[in-house]
Each structure stands twice: as C-alpha cells, then as structure tokens.
Amino acid sequence: MLTIKDLAKKAGVSYATVSRALNNHPEVNEETRRKIVKLAGDCGYRPNAIAQGLVKKETKTIGLLIPDITNPFYPEIARGVEDAANETGYTVFLCNTNWSVERELNYLTVLKQKQVDGIIIAPIHDFKDHFDLWVKSAVFISRVNFPKYTSILIDNIRGSQMAVEYLINKGHCHIAFIGGQKHIWDNQDRLQGYQQAMAMHNLAINPVYIQNGDFKRESGHVMMKKLLACEAPPSAVFAANDLLALGAIQAINEQGLAIPKDIAVVGFDDIEFASLPEIQLTTVAQPKYDMGKLALLTLIDQIKGGDDILNKKILLEPELVIRKTS
Amino acid sequence: MLTIKDLAKKAGVSYATVSRALNNHPEVNEETRRKIVKLAGDCGYRPNAIAQGLVKKETKTIGLLIPDITNPFYPEIARGVEDAANETGYTVFLCNTNWSVERELNYLTVLKQKQVDGIIIAPIHDFKDHFDLWVKSAVFISRVNFPKYTSILIDNIRGSQMAVEYLINKGHCHIAFIGGQKHIWDNQDRLQGYQQAMAMHNLAINPVYIQNGDFKRESGHVMMKKLLACEAPPSAVFAANDLLALGAIQAINEQGLAIPKDIAVVGFDDIEFASLPEIQLTTVAQPKYDMGKLALLTLIDQIKGGDDILNKKILLEPELVIRKTS
DNA sequence: GTGAAAGCGCTAACAT
DNA sequence: ATGTTAGCGCTTTCAC
C-alpha cells in the first residue's frame, strides 16, 4: 500500500507538504501542488481514511439502523439516505436490527467503536436516557420521547385519521385495527389516530377489533383470520402498514370474501407493491425516499453545526392514496 | 472519550497491560485481568476501532455493492450478508450503485480508502483487470470473467432452461424473452438459457421476441407493450427477473388479455411478492438469503485464509416454482 | 512556502 | 507478569 511518505519521497518533498497539497491548503506553492496532485493521480494514491479518521476525529461514516430491510418501506428510506450520503461524501453502515432490541443495542456500541459521525435510526425500543452515552449526533425516523434529538417522521395520527375517516364516510362503522408491536411508536400513534377518528364520529370500538402482532405480512394474515372468526367480523380494516394489509387481504380472500365489497382494507406506507394493478391497495403514503434524504442532510447539519439544530421535530404530511381495496 | 490510557491510570497499570487484558492475552495475571475487565465494564470503555484498525491493518468491515436495494431480491441478499456479518463480528457498508458504473467505480475507491477487509459485489460492469488494484478480497454474486476471485451464484442458464422448457411442454412455441441491461452477466446467461431451450426443441425465435431494457418494473411494462403491438404477439413470456414479469403482467392486463389463458408469464428470482395470492407468479427461485450468508462466510474465509480458497466458483441450483401465471 | 516533530488511540515487540 | 517504546498513516502545530 502506497503511503503518503512513499509519495513524498517520489516527489522529493516532505510528507507534510504532500498532505497540504492534497488537502488544498492555501499556503502551498501552486507549482508543487500541481506536481504532487499529478503524481498522486498517476500512482493511484488514496489517503488512508482510517489514519485520517484517527487524527481528525471524524470518519465521514454514519450508521443507519432499521428494523427490517425486507420491508420495502426501508429500502426506499435507505436509498434516500444513501443518495444524499454519496453526494456529501459519507458512507453508511447498514444495520438491520431485525426487530431485536439486543441487536439494536449491540449495533449502537459497535457504531460507537467504529467512530461513526452520527446515526439515523428507526428505533424499536425506548432508549430512556442511556442513549446519549453512545452517540453524539443522531436523527430519529420516528417519534421520540427525549427532546435532545432531532426526529423526522410523518404525522402518523393525522394519517390514520384520514384513513379511518375515509372508511367512515364510505359508510363503515365496524372498523378494525390491525397493528404491529404494541410498544413501537408508529404503532401507538396509528392506533391513536384510529381511535380518535372513531371517537369523533361517535363510533364505539369493539375491543376485539384492536389486534396487535408484528409488522410482517404473516402477522396480518393471522390477525385477520382472528377477526374473521369472531362473532361480528368488521366491514373494514385499517392496517398499520402495507405488509399487514397484504396479509389481511390474503385472509379475506381465503375466506371467499370480496374486497372491498365484503370487507374494505386500508394500509399504511404506500410501498411500491401497493400500487400493482393486482393489488391496488388504498393506503396512507409516506415520502419515503425524501425522508431518507432529509434525514441524512439533517444529520450532517447536526454533525457540522452544533447544538442549535438539535431538537428539531420535522413533521411531514401523509397523503391518502385511494385505490381499489376500499 | 475515554481512552486506554485513562483506563490504565484508573487501574494503576500501564496501558499495555490494559490492552493485553482486554485482548485476552495469556501472559496477563488472572487477577489484574479481572480487575481491568471489571473497570472497563463499569466505565463503559470501548476500544477505538479506528485506532485498532490502523495498527492491526484490519477493520472488521466489509462493503456490499449492489445495483438496486429497491428490488426485493437484494434486501434478501443483504439480510443474509448482514446476519452472517453480525455473527462473525463484521460491519457492512451498504453501497447501492444505482446501476451507475461511475458510482460503482467510485465506491470501490472509497471502500479502499476506508480500508475494508473485503467486498461482496453484484457488479454492473466488467472490471477487466483494474479490479485487483482496488481490493484484496472479494466475492462476486454473479458470474465473473477473471479467474482470481470467488463467485457464488445460481445456475442462470439451467434456471432459464427449466422455465422455458416448462412453457414449451405446456404447448407454447411463441415464447418471448424480456430482459434487463444487455451487458449484465445474469441477463446474458438467462437469455442464453432461453435460446438453448428453444433450440433444443427446434423452435425458431422471432428476433423481435428478444427485448432488453433494464431490470425495473416499468421496463417490463414497456417491453411487453412492444411485444403486444407486434404482428404476432407471443403466447408466453419469460422475464429475466420478477420485477420485469410484474411489469409485463401489467401490460397484458391493460390490453384486456388474460393470464395465463392468453399469455403465460414466468419470472426469475422469486421475490416475496411473487407469492402473493393476487400475483402467484411462476418463477425461478434463488436461495437469496442463503446466498448472502454464504457470500459473507466465503469472504471471511478468503480474508483469513489466503490464496488457496480463491477462485472458488459456487454454483447453486435454481428451482422452478410453478404458480398461476403459466 | 516548506520541513521537523508531536500526537491521534491503539497493538506488539522488546525489555525487565 | 508488567512496563517502555516504536510505530500504524495521517494532520497540524511550530519553526525556519
């Protein structure tokens, strides 16, 4: 591996000069700079980012913690993060927590060791106060209970209200909610939006109409089967994400029931596959790619800037996309 | 940030001893080790991995280069890579090349600078010989033309043959191929498998039946529309991946034609959404998750081992999953 | 404008 | 068994 010293030897200057030339320090002679830059190009010299990181205490690296890369919602986010990272010179560690708290925690310590400049996280548990021990800069893709950090997310409550009100306006009054893990913020807020919409229209909620599982398709399938098996099955279901909605649709079809005639279904996220002609899922859309991009840019601001940009809460507007399942 | 020297001071030993204790060197006194380990735990001390990387010339970090994280095929791979990386103590850089050669090349230099121990790559272009300038260890998720590196992939030709032969046995003789970028290995091999199967059954291929675009859904839509518009539309289509198949299905439906009655469709990959009840796409399955895991483990072997494991070619068996679109 | 030298946090060879 | 020291590749004072 070619080092800065090797290059300095070839150029006949001290390696400090090479460093200055390559880092565009103004004090270096224009001619020597050109010579050095040319030489570096010819030799294919690349500064060792690890060594740079050690002295500069900045690694130009961030961590992206998400629960499930397999849910098409997250790849969109990741793509946004990654595109923006690329443009700003950062590289991103992919940390798929797999809905495991242990793994989330473990990743945090690993990322700290690897000296990332910051993290973007869609958390799966409540960090309490331990969090700031681990990272200096972070942006959350979720509501977050401690004020110190920036978060960017869509208005989950509003989105859910829109979805449920739409169903109510369509004449439904037996509307069920199928959700993911109870403790996940997104789930709580979407449940709350559902409850508020029902309350605003003086609609009672049958307790069995509120189901919680996890955010995967199979879980939607299971919960919907339960709903279908109860004495008074709902005439509509609001699912806390599209994967759950897809699972619910499957259960409904297996029962021989028609969508939306017998049961209407509305999802959340608007993953790409929701728009397939065969699916045509009505759902609450999130600007996933833009959220990813924004998260990264906000994080960079925070890394660069200092305290004044902390504690920003960026709330984006959801959009109800009406298709054929409702 | 707490450093090893701070810790040494607190423990009342030299920092070399701390290093030895924490790295389980045998020569250190069992009692001092326990004391140090305890202290480190209490203080929440984590060794700086950047500093470790600099001296050990090993970063416990790898790069994963894929063309499109948005295609559900790749998240499955990524999850496999990531799970295995986690178990073996590695962290992975997500490098989404976005089908851009420039970005792929750029990532290679960035990863080199960041001193990754190796890379796993689903390449989008032919590196010629420049490649070994950049990385020491690599495994390809694709066929690869230069022998020095390990590659792991399924038998694309065989898989395509299986798919096309299945269509032929179903009585089809006007079978079209819609593919991705012409120069991508996967595409070439799948095209070849298609051609071989046709030839083996003495079936002529109408040149317009071979369409190439990119590997995205919209491209499948466009290509299928073209096929539908030609004088003698095919009675079956073999798509080089599931996204293309999904796009083709959309075009067929828009024409008011029935699947599989009027036109049969077969895809490749078996992404999760191919199995949705509403889709039920017949497709050639790849063991995506296992491929990812295997790729990572093979890479580690290579990093650790040396030359003897280079140039392994691991060819996995595809499986034809017959569903409702054929 | 350039060189010499210190030091980032750690490991490992060399002493003791 | 433990301490001392060199050095990984780089940036950044501090001299000149």
Side-chain angles (χ1 to χ4, degrees), chain A residues 109 112 130 132-134, chain B residues 1-12 18 22 34-47:
Chain A
T109 83
K112 183 199 179 187
H130 308 305
D132 35 354
L133 293 173
W134 300 114
Chain B
M1 254 264 309
L2 198 65
T3 75
I4 197 172
K5 295 192 182 178
D6 302 326
L7 207 66
K9 216 165 287 167
K10 289 189 198 232
V18 176
L22 262 24
R34 264 208 310 281
K35 192 177 70 181
I36 290 170
V37 168
K38 165 107 170 46
L39 186 65
D42 291 348
C43 302
Y45 168 76
R46 301 279 153 184

Side-chain angles (χ1 to χ4, degrees), chain B residues 47-325:
Chain B
N48 181 325
I50 295 295
Q52 286 179 317
L54 186 59
V55 32
K56 296 221 276 198
K57 291 166 168 328
E58 183 195 32
T59 56
K60 290 283 183 181
T61 290
I62 67 137
L64 172 64
L65 290 96
I66 52 177
D68 182 12
I69 188 73
T70 265
N71 175 348
F73 175 73
Y74 292 107
E76 286 288 348
I77 296 265
R79 203 169 57 88
V81 168
E82 225 243 19
D83 277 357
N86 229 285
E87 286 162 19
T88 48
Y90 283 80
T91 317
V92 0
F93 279 127
L94 173 65
C95 309
N96 195 60
T97 59
N98 226 358
W99 295 109
S100 153
V101 174
E102 188 194 338
R103 191 141 155 192
E104 184 170 82
L105 247 13
N106 182 53
Y107 257 129
L108 242 30
T109 83
V110 168
L111 291 175
K112 184 199 179 187
Q113 284 193 240
K114 301 230 162 155
Q115 312 296 120
V116 296
D117 296 336
I119 69 170
I120 294 172
I121 178 171
I124 61 163
H125 84 291
D126 191 346
F127 284 99
K128 304 266 175 17
D129 311 302
H130 308 305
F131 194 75
D132 34 356
L133 294 172
W134 300 115
V135 274
K136 14 184 189 185
S137 300
V139 357
F140 283 73
I141 303 184
S142 111
R143 173 157 71 80
V144 73
N145 63 330
F146 45 154
K148 207 174 149 189
Y149 292 94
T150 297
S151 68
I152 135 164
L153 73 162
I154 62 146
D155 190 334
N156 280 304
I157 297 183
R158 183 82 202 88
S160 304
Q161 282 178 342
M162 283 161 56
V164 175
E165 284 199 337
Y166 165 76
L167 287 170
I168 293 171
N169 290 337
K170 277 267 179 177
H172 293 281
C173 43
H174 301 292
I175 304 172
F177 172 87
I178 61 182
Q181 289 89 327
K182 271 197 188 124
H183 66 279
I184 301 288
W185 294 121
D186 289 337
N187 193 68
Q188 291 179 5
D189 290 352
R190 289 170 198 177
L191 174 58
Q192 194 184 329
Y194 156 82
Q195 288 168 326
Q196 286 182 5
M198 294 295 274
M200 276 167 52
H201 292 262
N202 297 312
L203 258 24
I205 299 175
N206 181 338
V208 302
Y209 280 6
I210 297 180
Q211 296 278 333
N212 281 285
D214 61 40
F215 277 111
K216 296 179 183 169
R217 183 158 63 97
E218 182 48 26
S219 183
H221 187 221
V222 169
M223 290 189 276
M224 193 67 222
K225 283 210 290 203
K226 262 193 214 146
L227 287 172
L228 255 16
C230 75
E231 303 112 274
S235 72
V237 208
F238 169 56
N241 82 357
D242 285 349
L243 255 26
L244 289 171
L246 255 22
I249 289 174
Q250 182 177 354
I252 296 167
N253 284 335
E254 283 168 2
Q255 260 323 272
L257 296 171
I259 297 172
K261 201 169 77 59
D262 299 319
I263 300 187
V265 178
V266 177
F268 209 110
D269 285 352
D270 195 27
I271 60 177
E272 188 191 345
F273 300 91
S275 71
L276 286 181
E278 298 88 340
I279 310 279
Q280 288 292 308
L281 177 65
T282 295
T283 187
V284 181
Q286 305 200 51
K288 299 169 280 295
Y289 178 80
D290 291 336
M291 284 168 69
K293 250 189 144 142
L294 190 55
L296 191 283
L297 295 176
T298 307
L299 181 62
I300 304 296
D301 274 359
Q302 201 180 122
I303 291 170
K304 295 275 166 66
D307 291 349
D308 50 328
I309 35 222
L310 287 174
N311 192 17
K312 254 200 291 191
K313 303 295 168 215
I314 303 173
L315 204 63
L316 304 175
E317 276 309 302
E319 188 192 345
L320 182 65
V321 180
I322 297 169
R323 298 205 182 91
K324 301 275 170 61
T325 59

